[in-house]
Amino acid sequence: MAGCRIPLVLLACGSFNPITNQHMRLFELARDHMHSTGQYKVLGGIVSPVGDAYGKQGLVPAQHRIAMAKLALETSDWIRVDEWESQQPDWTETVVTMRYHYNRVLQEYQKSTTAHKFSDKKPTATSNPSVQLKLLCGADFLDSFKTPGLWLDEHIEEVCGHFGLVCVSRGGLQPERTVHESDILSRHRHNIFLVTEWVRNETSATEVRRALRRSASVKYLIPDSVLQYVHQHNLYTQKSEERNHGKLLRPLTKQATNPVSSLDD
Amino acid sequence: MDGTAGTRVVLLACGSFNPITNMHLRMFELARDHLEDSGYQVVKGIISPVGDGYKKKGLIEAKHRLEMARLASENSWITVDSWEGLQAEWVETAKVVRHHYNELLAHEENNDDVDTVKYAKKRRIEDNYYVSSSSPQNRDGTRLMLLCGADVLESFGVPNLWKQEDIEEIVGRFGIVCITRTGNEPLKFIHQSDTLWKHRKNIHIVQEWVTNEISATHVRRALRRSRSVRYLLPDNVLNYIHEHHLYSEESEQKNTGVILAPFQRYSGASSS
């Protein structure tokens, strides 16, 4: 094989409330895994924090979540933070965010490989394969496909079938089982890359917020620069955790077949 | 807990630190939070990497392990001590604990307003032997506690790994802070050991609710396979590892077939 690896960009969507070492581990693990398949070459990673309109409980303002992610990734030479999603007026479906980033990535890639002419996305024997964008996520994300009203079927099709997923789990057969138990996911299992993190590490943003509320240490769970920012701005208190309490998640109201008005109307 | 109000504590962690990881550093943070919650005041943390004489498989040179620990603890309340690590022969943990406790006393002697000299000297004489009926440490002075994971606590049960009197001294005279993921196993282990049970008040079990199994073994394995270990340990430690080409197939084979120092010493095996 003459080194015709598919160029790949990994996109992680999520609250990043706050970003943790575990989030950044996802990228590292995913990159290693995709490289080891022999078929991909990871060009970059994008962290795309969700907008405030998502309405998740405890979500602090996007400006802070973006600032913290930038601090965390300052020294990374391949992962960057993107604010587009967080700047949209309403919550943006994951598939819309993916389409946006795919177009940008494709443009950048085409510019940097002007030697080759691209007619479409299909790789041919004589031209380099076109760049791909896949969604990077944890195993809990796969489970979220099951939550009623959270995803439109055609969006799941596009995310898994057209783009593809790289799903990092903490061990156990749970993601395999989730794929198996879903017809849509099973159909696209060749495009769902399951990466096992053998080291159980249950650090989560939820735990970090909990510890911060209780004035317990979170050092070494998040970068020092992020920790400093959290203290400077006094983020993550009992009060911040109560934000959006009782509110329906935006996807549920936006995508409902019988549109419901959100509880705070 | 009586006598703990404001009692100052120094935490001492012994181990291979081969290499140091975020999990090791988290242990200190969790221990400090727990003790301060119980009314103690944690004033210092000490990392004491084991010497090369321990002869554990895959153990790279102490000078590297010391430097990595130093880099990792740079901007924190945790310090690194090389007394144990630079010795040619393996030093029993109880000796290391005693050594650091004496250092602690000497330091207090120099800095304290209150005249503890007479008292401190009295305690130090007792370092050569342990009197089981005496109170753990100078109740008004700083206490030294061994910080470890549940695996170390349970290693007390491994034949010929520890001297019984050393275990008695560590838990009886000093104290242990044990970080565990499952509350049950260490408690059960304490229950099943008369020595540990007798000194159960000196054994502080800290529950780690958020499982974090980043082990040095895992890190070494990933490095051998050229996998990323970024965010499992501090960046400056990672840079050091790459600069010095530490942790390869070759380094993992070090001490293969060699008997671990404690086994050699306690089972009366002749030195090879």
Side-chain angles (χ1 to χ4, degrees):
Chain A
M1 190 152 116
C4 278
R5 284 175 177 248
I6 300 168
L8 176 62
V9 173
L10 299 169
L11 169 69
C13 297
S15 304
F16 297 100
N17 186 35
I19 194 165
T20 67
N21 285 344
Q22 188 57 13
H23 289 128
M24 297 185 287
R25 276 302 290 157
L26 291 187
F27 280 91
E28 297 287 312
L29 289 161
R31 178 168 70 162
D32 279 352
H33 180 88
M34 299 311 280
H35 280 176
S36 74
T37 63
Q39 293 159 6
Y40 295 90
K41 176 177 157 55
V42 176
L43 300 182
I46 305 170
V47 163
S48 175
V50 78
D52 294 330
Y54 187 53
K56 191 170 179 184
Q57 185 168 350
L59 197 67
V60 305
Q63 91 190 84
H64 289 309
R65 291 181 289 114
I66 296 274
M68 290 186 287
K70 283 184 175 168
L71 285 168
L73 292 166
E74 225 164 20
T75 58
S76 175
D77 63 355
W78 68 285
I79 311 166
R80 66 177 182 85
V81 185
D82 193 278
E83 305 180 43
W84 180 84
E85 184 182 353
S86 68
Q87 287 168 342
Q88 302 311 299
D90 193 0
W91 169 72
T92 308
E93 293 87 342
T94 302
V95 78
V96 172
T97 304
M98 291 193 82
R99 283 179 209 145
Y100 167 79
H101 283 290
Y102 178 71
N103 288 331
R104 286 189 60 201
V105 161
L106 183 62
Q107 270 172 41
E108 271 171 51
Y109 186 71
Q110 281 171 339
K111 263 192 235 146
S112 69
T113 54
T114 46
H116 299 274
K117 208 163 167 223
F118 284 78
S119 50
D120 58 26
K121 298 188 202 76
K122 259 173 52 188
T124 66
T126 51
S127 70
N128 286 329
S130 183
V131 67
Q132 288 186 13
L133 178 87
K134 293 196 191 301
L135 189 67
L136 170 63
C137 62
D140 51 337
F141 188 87
L142 277 189
D143 287 333
S144 82
F145 287 145
K146 290 189 251 178
T147 305
L150 203 53
W151 290 88
L152 293 179
D153 279 354
E154 57 256 39
H155 288 175
I156 303 179
E157 283 281 354
E158 194 173 340
V159 169
C160 300
H162 178 66
F163 290 110
L165 281 184
V166 182
C167 172
V168 181
S169 72
R170 316 191 209 231
L173 290 173
Q174 209 41 51
E176 273 98 339
R177 177 175 291 281
T178 306
V179 170
H180 168 74
E181 287 175 356
S182 152
D183 287 344
I184 302 183
L185 296 185
S186 284
R187 210 174 329 121
H188 300 299
R189 64 192 178 282
H190 60 279
N191 211 4
I192 300 174
F193 297 83
L194 299 177
V195 185
T196 304
E197 158 80 296
W198 292 108
V199 163
R200 262 179 66 206
N201 190 342
E202 287 166 11
T203 309
S204 66
T206 303
E207 284 295 342
V208 167
R209 293 197 308 276
R210 181 176 291 140
L212 286 166
R213 282 200 300 281
R214 301 174 185 184
S215 303
S217 165
V218 294
K219 195 167 168 149
Y220 311 114
L221 298 182
I222 63 181
D224 283 350
S225 55
V226 177
L227 184 50
Q228 208 174 23
Y229 186 96
V230 168
H231 287 315
Q232 255 165 26
H233 294 84
N234 197 31
L235 301 177
Y236 303 124
T237 56
Q238 200 60 49
K239 194 161 160 220
S240 72
E241 196 64 15
E242 263 141 42
R243 286 177 115 240
N244 297 322
H245 181 69
K247 220 164 122 169
L248 276 178
L249 273 187
R250 187 65 185 116
L252 298 175
T253 56
K254 190 177 182 188
Q255 295 175 153
T257 45
N258 299 312
V260 295
S261 44
S262 48
L263 292 178
D264 61 353
D265 276 351
Chain B
M1 247 189 260
D2 31 317
T4 62
T7 304
R8 298 199 309 280
V9 172
V10 169
L11 294 170
L12 168 70
C14 299
S16 304
F17 298 101
N18 186 35
I20 192 163
T21 68
N22 283 346
M23 184 197 76
H24 294 126
L25 298 163
R26 278 300 292 158
M27 273 198 333
F28 279 90
E29 298 288 311
L30 289 164
R32 179 166 74 163
D33 280 350
H34 178 92
L35 289 174
E36 296 202 338
D37 229 30
S38 311
Y40 291 93
Q41 192 196 346
V42 178
V43 298
K44 194 175 181 187
I46 305 171
I47 291 173
S48 175
V50 79
D52 295 331
Y54 189 53
K55 300 286 186 200
K56 191 172 179 182
K57 182 162 180 282
L59 192 69
I60 66 166
E61 287 164 293
K63 72 167 187 220
H64 288 311
R65 292 182 288 113
L66 281 162
E67 182 56 18
M68 289 188 286
R70 203 195 55 76
L71 287 167
S73 57
E74 233 165 24
N75 295 312
S76 73
W77 56 283
I78 305 165
T79 61
V80 181
D81 192 277
S82 60
W83 180 82
E84 178 186 1
L86 292 180
Q87 298 199 38
E89 292 297 311
W90 171 66
V91 184
E92 283 98 342
T93 302
K95 265 212 186 93
V96 180
V97 176
R98 254 180 258 139
H99 166 82
H100 284 287
Y101 182 64
N102 286 337
E103 293 275 291
L104 194 69
L105 290 181
H107 186 78
E108 284 196 328
E109 234 173 89
N110 293 333
N111 295 346
D112 233 349
D113 306 322
V114 182
D115 179 30
T116 55
V117 172
K118 213 165 86 178
Y119 200 91
K121 278 204 177 124
K122 180 169 179 252
R123 302 303 299 176
R124 204 157 333 139
I125 290 166
E126 288 172 20
D127 280 352
N128 294 326
Y129 64 94
Y130 172 58
V131 180
S132 63
S133 58
S134 62
S135 59
Q137 288 167 70
N138 176 359
R139 278 242 179 255
D140 301 324
T142 307
R143 304 189 58 178
L144 181 80
M145 296 188 194
L146 186 68
L147 170 64
C148 64
D151 54 333
V152 173
L153 191 72
E154 290 180 29
S155 80
F156 285 165
V158 174
N160 291 322
L161 192 56
W162 296 83
K163 275 195 327 225
Q164 281 312 302
E165 56 259 41
D166 281 0
I167 298 175
E168 172 89 44
E169 184 176 359
I170 292 170
V171 295
R173 189 166 167 229
F174 297 103
I176 287 189
V177 183
C178 172
I179 314 291
T180 177
R181 286 154 217 141
T182 76
N184 302 327
E185 296 307 315
L187 286 175
K188 189 165 172 195
F189 189 75
I190 293 168
H191 167 76
Q192 289 172 342
S193 153
D194 286 345
T195 306
L196 297 184
W197 192 82
K198 181 165 63 161
H199 301 296
R200 61 196 180 283
K201 293 259 160 46
N202 281 347
I203 304 174
H204 305 262
I205 304 288
V206 183
Q207 187 81 31
E208 182 185 14
W209 293 110
V210 178
T211 307
N212 189 338
E213 286 173 11
I214 300 173
S215 69
T217 305
H218 173 83
V219 167
R220 293 197 308 276
R221 183 181 298 134
L223 286 167
R224 282 200 301 282
R225 299 174 186 184
S226 302
R227 293 289 201 258
S228 166
V229 293
R230 195 161 185 196
Y231 309 115
L232 296 183
L233 66 187
D235 278 347
N236 56 6
V237 177
L238 190 47
N239 290 337
Y240 185 92
I241 290 174
H242 287 313
E243 262 164 42
H244 294 82
H245 309 290
L246 305 177
Y247 301 121
S248 56
E249 289 282 355
E250 200 191 319
S251 70
E252 196 66 14
Q253 292 313 309
K254 207 162 164 217
N255 293 322
T256 304
V258 176
I259 300 174
L260 203 67
F263 292 139
Q264 215 177 80
R265 198 172 291 179
Y266 300 148
S267 59
S270 52
S271 45
S272 40

